[in-house]
Amino acid sequence: MSFPPVAEQLAVLRRGIEAVVPEAELAQKLEKSLKTGVPLRVKYGIDPTGIDVHLGHTVPMRKIRQFQDFGHQAVIIIGNYTALVGDPSGRDQTRARLTQEQVETNAIDYLNQVGKVVDLSRAEVVRNGDWFGKMNFLDILNLCGKVTVAQLLTREDFAKRQAEEKAIYLHECLYPLMQAWDSVMVRADVELGGTEQLYSFMLARDLQRAHDLPQQIGMMTPILVGLDGIRRMGKSLGNYIGISEPPFEMMKKFMQLPDQCMRMYFELLTSLPMPEVEALLAGHPKVAKMELAKAVIGSYHPAGEATAAAERWQAEIGERSRPQDIAKFSVPADKLTDGQINADKLLLLTKLCASSSDARRAIAQGGVYLGEDKTVVPSHDTPVRVINGLLLWVGKKRVVQLEVG
RNA sequence: GGGGGAAUUCCAGAGUGGCCAAAUGGGCCAGACUGUAAAUCUGGUGGCUCUGCCUUCGUAGGUUCGAAUCCUACUUCCCCCA
């Protein structure tokens, strides 16, 4: 096995990384593998607790891929056992626990998605249930003997919960220990994860030393902020872009991203050289955002589709022309009187509004329009003459095309 | 096992007998402004046959002219002591 020069590897691998602990050992490890021809074992663990892999998850995953492309060994750990515990990291309350069946279903789904970033054909994929499932109580006690309660409580998330008098369950305390044990079992040289994983990463080093294994280094990726530009990208926060989303959906979301997040997104989600990124950012923000969107979308969809999505966004949204696929709604003839129906009833019927109160509100605020030229509907009891092809809008985004059924 | 505290509209969180469909913030929706970005500003945010009416404040009863607010029981959650 031959590897590119260390400096070259470092330049790519260090990009967008928040911290490497210990910093110096990364270069040393790379040196050694270059000399011996033995690839580094790069560990990344995921708990199959949810389903949608979003761009936030791809940050460490992309890093794994870069290691792979340099010839190193990716080790993906499916945390089918740790998922049963629930990672307390960064949480201010206990996670809901899952059943084994849910976990397995999620795991398969997860792998399909992970495969879009990591080359699974060259990766080792293991489940930590393979070893945790075999441990007996004595083994567990031995492991527990490595950590003191005081150490555990230095973690910010636990300390915070302790201070707020919120519950900390014993099984949650075992989580970092389990994660660290994974590193021993797979003989990890490098572990990737977010900054909140620091404690587990360090614990892994302790355990590895205790077992006379080389100690892993931790590479921590920054938290990717979500579309709101403030909070971390997360499914429950509704501020994420999923990697399985259709190109146009991704495009729309990208264009909503606050400008000041672009540098971070470029750095963490694309491989565009940073000087080029700086040049783009110096230009018009809209152009830069388009490029960002195309670059990222292009890594999950064929390049042509990314471009098409960008063009469609420009036409439909940038130039305010008619959206492409407008849902059709056929108004039953028996709802009409002389071919007409009151505006609020129509909104309710088409499900554009959830209730007639909701419909009245929308109309009162001047948010309901008719036709290509978007004539404002003035009142909730304005009769609407329904003709085939008539467009009915609520706000800028919701629209249906009517027909008489 | 014993003691204490809490459950409010999407979320957080006010409200302790009438002025409460319920403050405030967040989210969301609509409007203005824009690059239909973000930020900002304005308005809205239970339902209806809508200048009025109806149903909501853990569940079920009760007190009262009147209850989210008081009483009783129950359910759930949290904390402390052992």
Side-chain angles (χ1 to χ4, degrees), chain A residues 87-108:
Chain A
D87 184 0
S89 290
R91 283 263 162 167
D92 52 10
Q93 51 186 302
T94 309
R95 275 179 198 253
R97 297 176 65 179
L98 301 171
T99 66
Q100 297 209 32
E101 296 77 58
Q102 284 174 316
V103 167
E104 193 48 38
T105 312
N106 289 347
I108 291 164

Side-chain angles (χ1 to χ4, degrees), chain A residues 1-46:
Chain A
M1 191 82 216
S2 68
F3 301 95
V6 169
E8 190 183 312
Q9 292 190 56
L10 269 179
V12 173
L13 296 175
R14 197 63 183 73
R15 166 168 169 162
I17 291 290
E18 179 97 2
V20 180
V21 285
E23 180 79 46
E25 285 186 29
L26 177 58
Q28 290 165 15
K29 290 241 186 208
L30 291 171
E31 285 294 349
K32 194 178 170 196
S33 81
L34 185 62
K35 270 183 205 145
T36 58
V38 179
L40 295 181
R41 296 177 59 75
V42 185
K43 169 197 171 193
Y44 179 59
I46 43 176

Side-chain angles (χ1 to χ4, degrees), chain A residues 130-145:
Chain A
D130 293 351
W131 47 86
F132 286 125
K134 290 177 192 152
M135 284 173 86
N136 63 32
F137 207 81
L138 184 61
D139 297 326
I140 296 165
L141 288 176
N142 284 335
L143 202 52
C144 289

